Amino acid sequence: MGTAFAIVLVFVGCCCNVVSLELLVRQFPGCGNIVTFAQFLFIALEGFIFETKFGTKKPAIPIRNYVIMVTMFFTVSVINNYALNFNIAMPLHMIFRSGSLIANMILGIIILKKRYTASKYLSIALISAGIFICTIMSAKQVNVATEGSEEQGFYPLIHWLIGIAMLTFALLMSARMGIFQETLYKQYGKHSKEALFYNHCLPLPGFLLLCTDIYNHAVHFSHSTPTVVPVVGGTMPILWLYLLINVITQYVCIRGVFILTTECASLTVTLVVTLRKFLSLIISIMYFQNPFTTWHWVGTAVVFLGTLLYTEVLSSVWAALRGPGGKAKKAE
């Protein structure tokens, strides 16, 4: 029951989160900072009340380690959202972030001296190829959209390339954070809810550096068209409603993933998150009519095939299908 409930939370929460984020980004492409701040503030308040019991519960992992982790987490979150300011389409944003396995493997080899099987290297090659195809096709769309003088076409492309560089940096930083978390959990044990709280609470002072941008967008949000709030019945600016939905669904998604990590094997968690990304991508393309060519579909299929190969889902399914037959032969 817990597993099924968690899977529902992940799919419903994350898919609704993508819709609300797309609605915000379409009206204000530069709203990434206020979205990130709202998400961090909400999760930090929830954790302060229910995890730390209003600050009375001491952390199991030393604060100095959380400071290092939080610095990386804050950087990744802000850069990922801020990259949307650089003409990065939501489908490409989601596909690019699906390449986290590549970064994890590269840094695992360099830092942890890990070695992998041939199937793992093949899966990484597929994921890399899929992301490369989607990125190149998106670059062509940027060029087509800015046809005209050389100056008109050059600067939007440079603007877009900066966004790609930001996503790449965030991908590598996220992988490095994962390795750091892995070493911490081995030393102190797993404390996921505690880590969730500190990862969202400690970075809050960092948003002072972005306070002007956050304030300006808050003013824009307040001047948006009033709309009726479902169930409650009152009215509020529509962009604040979209932000509220985004924050709540982000929390629902994160809570669902946390429940899954305690109920299921890591392989199951990875598969659920991968399928969720695919569904989010389909929603972004179909509902919002985002440009998506045949080559984008090819790239997406290759990315998800590589992901399934890496997590050994395909081999596990094949083994499960052959299992009864194999046991029957042994019985004979």
Side-chain angles (χ1 to χ4, degrees), residues 71-80 83 96 103 107 161-177:
T71 302
M72 292 188 280
F73 183 70
F74 177 76
T75 304
V76 169
S77 298
V78 170
I79 289 178
N80 269 327
F96 215 92
L107 293 186
L161 287 173
I162 291 172
I164 292 296
M166 291 173 70
L167 288 178
T168 303
F169 176 80
L171 199 64
L172 292 171
M173 179 66 79
S174 178
R176 182 63 186 89
M177 182 180 72

Side-chain angles (χ1 to χ4, degrees), residues 183-262:
T183 56
L184 276 185
Y185 290 157
K186 283 181 180 178
Q187 184 175 355
Y188 297 101
K190 289 188 176 182
H191 303 278
S192 301
K193 290 184 70 177
E194 178 184 288
L196 182 67
F197 165 70
Y198 284 104
N199 276 343
H200 288 82
C201 178
L202 294 180
L204 288 176
F207 285 101
L208 290 173
L209 301 172
L210 309 169
C211 61
T212 303
D213 180 73
I214 292 171
Y215 174 77
N216 289 337
H217 278 90
V219 172
H220 288 310
F221 280 25
S222 298
H223 290 156
S224 61
T225 307
T227 186
V228 178
V229 181
V231 182
V232 178
T235 61
M236 69 184 299
I238 192 167
L239 290 181
W240 281 115
L241 178 60
Y242 290 159
L243 183 61
L244 178 63
I245 294 171
N246 180 270
V247 168
I248 293 173
T249 52
Q250 173 74 1
Y251 173 74
V252 169
C253 183
I254 288 179
R255 288 292 294 153
V257 171
F258 168 74
I259 295 171
L260 274 182
T261 57
T262 58

Side-chain angles (χ1 to χ4, degrees), residues 48-251:
F48 180 73
I49 296 169
F50 297 104
E51 172 58 24
T52 70
K53 313 299 181 187
F54 295 94
T56 59
K57 180 183 175 184
K58 291 184 178 180
I61 299 175
I63 291 292
R64 65 178 181 276
N65 291 316
Y66 278 124
V67 171
I68 298 171
M69 189 190 305
V70 159
T71 302
M72 292 188 280
F73 183 70
F74 177 76
T75 304
V76 169
S77 298
V78 170
I79 289 178
N80 269 327
N81 281 336
Y82 198 64
L84 294 169
N85 297 12
F86 291 82
N87 204 21
I88 301 293
M90 280 299 293
L92 178 62
H93 193 272
M94 286 184 278
I95 294 167
F96 215 92
R97 293 177 70 177
S98 297
S100 56
L101 290 174
I102 308 170
N104 285 329
M105 176 176 277
I106 292 172
L107 293 186
I109 293 171
I110 296 173
I111 298 173
L112 301 179
K113 309 300 181 185
K114 288 185 176 181
R115 292 295 176 265
Y116 299 92
T117 61
S119 64
K120 290 285 193 292
Y121 289 113
L122 175 60
S123 67
I124 293 303
L126 289 172
I127 294 170
S128 303
I131 292 176
F132 180 77
I133 291 169
C134 290
T135 305
I136 291 298
M137 294 311 298
S138 296
K140 288 183 177 180
Q141 287 178 348
V142 171
N143 285 330
V144 170
T146 56
E147 279 183 348
S149 68
E150 183 178 341
E151 185 175 338
Q152 286 176 327
F154 177 73
Y155 286 108
L157 181 60
I158 293 298
H159 196 67
W160 178 82
L161 287 173
I162 291 172
I164 292 296
M166 291 173 70
L167 288 178
T168 303
F169 176 80
L171 199 64
L172 292 171
M173 179 66 79
S174 178
R176 182 63 186 89
M177 182 180 72
I179 291 175
F180 183 72
Q181 284 178 317
E182 186 179 331
T183 56
L184 276 185
Y185 290 157
K186 283 181 180 178
Q187 184 175 355
Y188 297 101
K190 289 188 176 182
H191 303 278
S192 301
K193 290 184 70 177
E194 178 184 288
L196 182 67
F197 165 70
Y198 284 104
N199 276 343
H200 288 82
C201 178
L202 294 180
L204 288 176
F207 285 101
L208 290 173
L209 301 172
L210 309 169
C211 61
T212 303
D213 180 73
I214 292 171
Y215 174 77
N216 289 337
H217 278 90
V219 172
H220 288 310
F221 280 25
S222 298
H223 290 156
S224 61
T225 307
T227 186
V228 178
V229 181
V231 182
V232 178
T235 61
M236 69 184 299
I238 192 167
L239 290 181
W240 281 115
L241 178 60
Y242 290 159
L243 183 61
L244 178 63
I245 294 171
N246 180 270
V247 168
I248 293 173
T249 52
Q250 173 74 1
Y251 173 74

